[in-house]
């Protein structure tokens, strides 16, 4: 989903607005597609960015260990997704009540689904957010995840997960304004910051 895709523009705007709202460093996979959009948005906000890049990820510029526009000290290049997931989870955990973090999952492929379900399991097992809650938002642009929700509903019907269990672990947002409103309410931020 490159710069000409509607989700790219939505994600770039979301990256900018979340960085300003939470006044935080934005961390991503710093790869192509929507990861790039989120990174660019945070940079537009004038906020610091960091990331965990996978070597040889899909896309032209990812065949090397170098990022095309980020300084080398702002990201790490990982060989495996497990290292990236560990880094992203570590950056999301709040260490004190004044820190504002969030996990925001965007439309994506197999790697994104892997990361989403790993984080869901960590939230469910209270490894993330047990002391200081961390909002976990799934961006459902243009109903991108509708088939996933149907599958999760079937998991409830079959008894693989308890009724309402998955819904309690994240907030599904269909657009940026919904996500920003949720974050402002979660952190009790004044409406003027939105």
């Amino acid at each position: 989903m490159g710069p000409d895709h509607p989700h790219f523009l939505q994600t770039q705007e979301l990256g900018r607005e979340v960085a300003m709202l939470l006044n935080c460093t934005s961390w991503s996979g710093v790869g192509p597609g929507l990861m790039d959009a989120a990174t660019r948005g945070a940079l537009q906000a004038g906020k610091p960015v960091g990331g965990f890049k996978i070597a040889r990820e899909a896309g032209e510029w990812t065949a090397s260990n170098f990022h095309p526009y980020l300084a080398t000290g702002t990201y790490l290049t990982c060989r495996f997704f497990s290292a990236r997931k560990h880094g992203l989870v570590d950056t999301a955990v709040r260490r004190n009540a004044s820190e504002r973090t969030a996990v925001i999952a965007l439309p994506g492929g197999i790697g994104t689904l892997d990361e989403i379900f790993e984080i869901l399991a960590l939230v469910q097992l209270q490894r993330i957010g047990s002391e200081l809650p961390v909002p976990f938002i799934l961006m459902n642009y243009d109903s991108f995840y509708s088939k996933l929700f149907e599958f999760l509903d079937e998991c409830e019907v079959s008894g693989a997960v308890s009724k309402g269990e998955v819904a309690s672990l994240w907030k599904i947002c269909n657009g940026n304004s919904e996500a920003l409103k949720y974050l402002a309410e979660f952190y009790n931020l004044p409406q003027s910051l939105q």
Side-chain angles (χ1 to χ4, degrees), residues 12 14 21 27 55 83 94-95 149 156 174 182 186 191:
Q12 190 168 349
L14 183 65
L21 178 68
W27 293 87
R94 297 171 59 208
R95 287 154 185 81
F149 302 146
E156 284 187 3
N174 295 309
Y182 176 73
F186 188 94
Q191 297 289 17

Side-chain angles (χ1 to χ4, degrees), residues 13-24 102 104 180 183:
E13 177 187 305
L14 183 65
R16 182 179 60 249
E17 297 298 321
V18 168
M20 290 190 309
L21 178 68
L22 299 184
N23 192 27
C24 63
I104 301 175
L180 293 165
L183 289 171

Side-chain angles (χ1 to χ4, degrees), residues 142-153:
D142 300 320
S143 301
F144 184 87
Y145 285 111
S146 62
K147 298 288 185 188
L148 175 64
F149 302 146
E150 289 174 19
F151 168 74
L152 293 172
D153 288 344

Side-chain angles (χ1 to χ4, degrees), residues 11-168:
T11 298
Q12 190 168 349
E13 177 187 305
L14 183 65
R16 182 179 60 249
E17 297 298 321
V18 168
M20 290 190 309
L21 178 68
L22 299 184
N23 192 27
C24 63
T25 299
S26 295
W27 293 87
S28 79
V30 294
L34 300 188
M35 293 179 283
D36 189 43
T39 300
R40 290 177 185 271
L43 288 172
Q44 287 175 349
K47 301 298 181 184
V49 299
F52 303 93
K53 181 182 166 311
I54 300 291
R56 300 192 207 319
E57 199 163 10
E60 293 176 20
W61 57 262
T62 58
S64 74
N65 289 338
F66 299 102
H67 194 280
Y69 59 84
L70 291 178
T72 56
T74 61
Y75 66 91
L76 297 172
T77 300
C78 308
R79 186 171 177 197
F80 297 106
F81 275 91
S82 57
R84 173 155 80 187
K85 285 190 296 188
H86 181 83
L88 291 172
V89 165
D90 191 50
T91 62
V93 173
R94 297 171 59 208
R95 287 154 185 81
N96 61 60
S98 66
E99 281 189 328
R100 294 185 291 233
T101 68
V103 173
I104 301 175
L106 300 161
I110 293 170
T112 301
L113 289 172
D114 175 45
E115 292 165 342
I116 287 170
F117 281 102
E118 172 96 10
I119 291 170
L120 273 178
L122 292 171
V123 171
Q124 178 190 41
L125 297 170
Q126 298 182 347
R127 300 299 189 267
I128 296 176
S130 59
E131 292 181 30
L132 295 167
V134 174
F136 182 12
I137 298 173
L138 182 74
M139 295 306 300
N140 189 35
Y141 293 140
D142 300 320
S143 301
F144 184 87
Y145 285 111
S146 62
K147 298 288 185 188
L148 175 64
F149 302 146
E150 289 174 19
F151 168 74
L152 293 172
D153 288 344
E154 286 300 315
C155 288
E156 284 187 3
V157 169
S158 70
V161 295
S162 299
K163 184 147 181 68
E165 180 179 12
V166 176
S168 71

